[in-house]
Amino acid sequence: MKLKLSISLFFLSFIMVAQHNFMLNGICSKNANTKSIYLRYKINGKSITKSSRIHNNKFVFTGEIDFPTQAIICTHPKFYMTNLNSKIFYLEPCKMDVKLDFNDFNTIVVHNSKSNDEFDSLQNTMEKKKNHKKIDSIRELSRSYSDKMITISDNSLKNQIQKSLDSLDLQLDQLVDQNIKINKQSEFEFIKKNPNSFIAPDLLYHILMQEDEQISYDTIKNLYNKLSPEVKKSYGGKQLAEKLIYSKNSRIGSLAPDFKGRDVNDNLLQLSSFRNNKCVLLDFWASWCGPCREDFPFLKEIYFKYKDKGLEIISVSRDEKLDLWRNTIKTENVEKWKHFSIKENKSAIEDIYAVTGIPVKILIDKDGNIIGRWIGSSVEIKAEIESMISKVFQD
């Protein structure tokens, strides 16, 4: 009986390892003994970081995952990533092999990961490679011209070099835009043709986060709906499904999601309390964000112009250092309107409003509906915001 039980337990543990565990065996092509290498990945939103000591130019990572998942392998313990010291790839719940040069990850090779093969293939199309070579050559030429500018005293020659630099900058912008279009086109085609791929939800998530007005929410949602049930159950699939809900609830035309907490003066602040009374401009910012702080003079101008008509501003800060947040409010002289700290309130407001970068501004009318959303800072954006606010109070 004991023997049968032992055999049963052995086979049960074998099945569990076969179904859920991964093993990543690594070989370094150069002498990297006694050094450490690091791995990071997420399971249902929880970040997991592992380290492995290199011995005889070899290292091993093990862990438990149910689905293929995107990961980062890096030589820096805090994951300060460059092309030379890191690589984004896909882990699979199986045994994998990786070969790398510890000092240059450009030649890294990962074996036995179908998802990673798909990911690499998508990243390395011939058209992309050609564009990357052109971009690298232009950047190199720009650097050489910039170095020349430092050593030259002749103003006429400097002007000629500056014209060349301006021309190169224009070419670079065009190539980068072209690369973005190539990426989107190839990613869309891949997703359409591969609904069973575990990298598809990650690609859709990335597209959704870019908030490209040319790619509608409905387009992304339709592509998500066509993914296989197994892919939808994956970590990436669940993350995409959650983000789609947030994006739907926070896009123009939706009723603004409610939130509440304490403001900078420790008073209760709840968005829904302004409904039927105030037009609210949400301003997502941080003290360390230059463009965010550059917008304060504009915000002061429109606040004092429209506050008596019914405008309220709620500045939502992602500052980690609360003293710096409070001091910046005083320094910038913006105490007059409402201020809300994400950290202090332990708030998920950035998730529910699908904010991934700052500055972001969201305009909510008196009925509580989102009527405007802007990412970044520019003269054009400020003009649009003021134009929309003025129309609100003209009606």
Side-chain angles (χ1 to χ4, degrees), residues 19 24 42 88 102 124 208 237 243 270 298 308 317 325:
Q19 285 181 339
L24 184 67
K42 282 186 177 181
I88 296 172
F102 190 86
N124 297 315
L208 188 63
K243 192 57 69 174
Q270 185 163 4
F298 163 72
D308 292 335
S317 169
W325 167 58

Side-chain angles (χ1 to χ4, degrees), residues 76 208 345:
H76 198 289
L208 188 63
N345 287 284

Side-chain angles (χ1 to χ4, degrees), residues 19-31:
Q19 285 181 339
H20 302 295
N21 282 16
F22 74 82
M23 178 180 286
L24 184 67
N25 292 314
I27 298 175
C28 297
S29 59
K30 289 186 177 179
N31 192 346

Side-chain angles (χ1 to χ4, degrees), residues 32-167:
N33 286 334
T34 74
K35 293 181 180 179
S36 293
I37 195 162
Y38 305 89
L39 181 72
R40 179 174 288 172
Y41 56 97
K42 282 186 177 181
I43 297 179
N44 293 327
K46 182 183 177 183
S47 183
I48 296 172
T49 301
K50 295 176 178 286
S51 66
S52 179
R53 197 77 167 169
I54 298 170
H55 180 67
N56 290 334
N57 292 327
K58 294 179 181 179
F59 61 89
V60 178
F61 286 107
T62 60
E64 189 171 308
I65 55 175
D66 295 320
F67 301 95
T69 185
Q70 194 174 90
I72 302 168
I73 188 167
C74 186
T75 61
H76 198 289
K78 293 187 177 179
F79 287 82
Y80 296 146
M81 295 169 62
T82 69
N83 288 332
L84 294 177
N85 77 351
S86 61
K87 172 72 173 177
I88 296 172
F89 74 108
Y90 274 80
L91 284 171
E92 302 260 3
C94 65
K95 182 179 177 181
M96 291 163 289
D97 298 306
V98 58
K99 292 182 180 180
L100 57 87
D101 179 338
F102 190 86
N103 299 310
D104 184 359
F105 276 40
N106 282 311
T107 57
I108 191 170
V109 178
V110 179
H111 293 290
N112 203 28
S113 171
K114 180 188 174 186
S115 296
N116 193 67
D117 291 344
E118 292 172 342
F119 184 65
D120 276 349
S121 178
L122 200 58
Q123 301 303 309
N124 297 315
T125 62
M126 288 304 295
E127 200 169 357
K128 281 186 186 177
K129 283 183 177 179
K130 286 178 184 177
N131 256 23
H132 281 306
K133 284 182 179 179
K134 289 178 184 176
I135 288 170
D136 288 343
S137 64
I138 288 174
R139 282 177 174 160
E140 188 60 39
L141 193 55
S142 291
R143 276 194 291 270
S144 67
Y145 279 145
S146 296
D147 291 341
K148 280 183 182 179
M149 284 278 278
I150 298 170
T151 60
I152 291 170
S153 56
D154 188 314
N155 286 333
S156 62
L157 191 54
K158 273 191 173 184
N159 289 334
Q160 289 178 19
I161 294 174
Q162 187 59 55
K163 286 180 181 178
S164 298
L165 279 169
D166 292 342
S167 175

Side-chain angles (χ1 to χ4, degrees), residues 5-22 63-66 93-95:
L5 182 60
S6 298
I7 293 171
S8 297
L9 288 172
F10 171 78
F11 277 109
L12 179 61
S13 63
F14 176 79
I15 290 168
M16 287 177 68
V17 168
Q19 285 181 339
H20 302 295
N21 282 16
F22 74 82
E64 189 171 308
I65 55 175
D66 295 320
C94 65
K95 182 179 177 181

